[in-house]
């Protein structure tokens, strides 16, 4: 996987957004007042603005664990993930990515899509990965099998109007300032560029210290108020939310790693079936009040959704 020259040309300094000079081993900001330098580690540029980020370039230099790393792809972990039931299910992502792709390529080819948090393949994303119709630029704040650039969503190192699409799936709960990240997404998208976002609502803390925010359906809509909505709704339903709650209820009793592991296995086998209710519930009004997570699929707009219009778009059961 390599990034096309057309996209590389649009890389900028994450700190001052000036042009950047790319070398094999170092990227240098061409603005003399800034003149920041960014290393290239194992072929991957580390384009982090340290003034604005919780990550340090040094952590990547020595391959420190930053957030998550791809699960060890051993035979045992593959076997486990095949055999063990799951307490959650994303019922919409696959279809949503088909819609995203077909909308994107409808009027033109040569489309490019920025993936924020693309260290590993997102749920249901196979259709985008297996097509030659678009160029995916996969970025993250950790090295993974699919990471092409290390960068932080708070300072996206690309020029304005670079991308035809941006994907940010299950990421915005893990950034300290989701509003700033969405401003950045808006900036790097071309006019009428598409955005696809998923964020959790009824989910307990995951990824430990890197978990900050939850959004209701309307809260998520407001986050993207400078976008016109194409579609939105629940991706993971109330059944999954209940299964997670049961698991985290028992986990709350102990810090012991061993007991927590036992609790996880116990709750997997006793709560996995709740997710099947989500096939029935996912599109119902009640899910807008109680889902495990929501999606927003929209188009960059020049107008901003007013808060009055926002509240009149409530779709839940509490009319
Ligand atoms: Zn600079």
């Amino acid at each position: 996987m390599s990034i096309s020259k057309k996209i590389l040309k649009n890389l900028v300094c994450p700190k001052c957004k000036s042009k950047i000079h790319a070398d094999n081993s170092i990227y240098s900001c061409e603005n003399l007042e800034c003149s920041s330098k960014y290393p290239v580690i194992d072929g991957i540029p580390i384009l982090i603005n340290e003034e604005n980020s919780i990550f340090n370039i040094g952590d990547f230099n020595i391959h420190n664990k930053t957030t998550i790393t791809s699960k060890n792809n051993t035979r045992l972990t593959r076997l486990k993930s095949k055999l063990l039931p799951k307490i959650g299910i994303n019922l919409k992502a696959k279809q949503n990515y088909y819609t995203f792709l077909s909308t994107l390529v409808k009027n033109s080819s040569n489309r490019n899509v920025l993936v924020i948090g693309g260290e590993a393949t997102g749920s249901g994303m196979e259709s985008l990965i297996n097509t030659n119709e678009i160029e995916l630029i996969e970025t993250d704040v950790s090295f993974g099998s699919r990471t092409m650039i290390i960068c932080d969503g708070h300072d996206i190192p690309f020029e304005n109007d670079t991308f035809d699409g941006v994907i940010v799936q299950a990421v915005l709960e893990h950034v300290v300032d989701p509003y700033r990240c969405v401003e950045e997404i808006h900036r790097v998208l071309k006019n009428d560029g598409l955005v696809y976002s998923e964020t959790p609502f009824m989910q307990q803390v995951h990824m430990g210290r890197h978990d900050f925010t939850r959004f209701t359906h309307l809260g998520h809509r407001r986050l993207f108020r400078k976008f016109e909505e194409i579609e939105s709704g629940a991706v993971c339903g109330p059944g999954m939310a209940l299964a997670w709650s049961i698991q985290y209820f028992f986990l709350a009793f102990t810090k012991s790693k061993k007991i927590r592991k036992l609790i996880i296995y116990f709750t997997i086998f006793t709560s996995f079936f709740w997710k099947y209710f989500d096939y029935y519930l996912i599109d119902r009004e009640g899910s807008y009040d109680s889902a495990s997570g929501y999606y927003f699929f929209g188009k960059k707009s020049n107008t901003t959704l007013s808060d009055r219009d926002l509240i009149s778009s409530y779709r839940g059961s509490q009319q």
Side-chain angles (χ1 to χ4, degrees), residues 13 15-18 29-31 34-36 38:
C13 171
K15 199 166 151 189
C16 72
K17 308 286 192 305
S18 301
C29 176
E30 291 181 359
N31 171 3
C34 169
S35 62
S36 297
Y38 305 95

Side-chain angles (χ1 to χ4, degrees), residues 101-303:
L101 180 63
S102 57
T103 313
L104 198 68
V105 299
K106 196 158 56 184
N107 300 321
S108 162
S109 51
N110 287 327
R111 300 294 208 165
N112 58 57
V113 175
L114 174 71
V115 184
I116 300 173
E119 175 249 5
T121 308
S123 172
M125 238 178 106
E126 295 76 13
S127 61
L128 293 184
I129 283 169
N130 297 328
T131 177
N132 296 323
E133 290 183 278
I134 55 167
E135 180 183 358
L136 281 186
I137 295 90
E138 292 163 280
T139 67
D140 210 324
V141 284
S142 62
F143 289 107
S145 55
R146 303 197 60 88
T147 309
M148 299 156 114
I149 296 172
I150 298 268
C151 68
D152 186 321
H154 297 87
D155 281 292
I156 302 176
F158 284 97
E159 271 180 10
N160 299 359
D161 311 313
T162 295
F163 295 102
D164 300 295
V166 174
I167 287 169
V168 58
Q169 182 183 35
V171 170
L172 291 171
E173 73 272 28
H174 299 299
V175 301
V176 287
D177 189 348
Y179 296 92
R180 183 185 163 97
C181 291
V182 175
E183 276 295 323
E184 279 291 272
I185 291 171
H186 192 270
R187 181 183 66 77
V188 298
L189 271 174
K190 293 176 190 167
N191 276 338
D192 291 340
L194 303 178
V195 69
Y196 181 76
S197 165
E198 287 182 8
T199 55
F201 172 46
M202 296 306 287
Q203 274 181 28
Q204 286 76 1
V205 166
H206 51 280
M207 269 172 69
R209 70 193 62 188
H210 291 282
D211 195 347
F212 307 100
T213 324
R214 294 293 178 270
F215 290 98
T216 60
H217 177 252
L218 285 191
H220 194 208
R221 177 68 190 95
R222 189 174 192 281
L223 185 61
F224 289 93
R225 62 195 182 281
K226 292 185 178 173
F227 293 80
E228 185 188 309
E229 176 173 328
I230 298 171
E231 251 180 60
S232 73
V235 274
C236 304
M240 175 172 162
L242 176 59
W244 273 56
S245 292
I246 293 168
Q247 185 171 84
Y248 275 76
F249 167 75
F250 287 110
L251 288 173
F253 286 90
T254 178
K255 266 181 82 177
S256 153
K257 263 190 173 172
K258 274 187 191 153
I259 302 175
R260 289 174 72 86
K261 217 172 192 177
L262 283 175
I263 289 172
I264 286 171
Y265 283 117
F266 170 74
T267 49
I268 280 176
F269 284 107
T270 51
S271 303
F272 72 91
F273 62 89
W274 287 110
K275 69 174 183 278
Y276 296 117
F277 287 92
D278 291 341
Y279 286 94
Y280 174 72
L281 294 171
I282 197 79
D283 291 320
R284 298 184 72 84
E285 286 94 338
S287 281
Y288 286 94
D289 300 325
S290 58
S292 173
Y294 297 107
Y295 74 96
F296 175 79
F297 174 33
K299 192 163 85 170
K300 177 172 170 174
S301 165
N302 295 319
T303 55

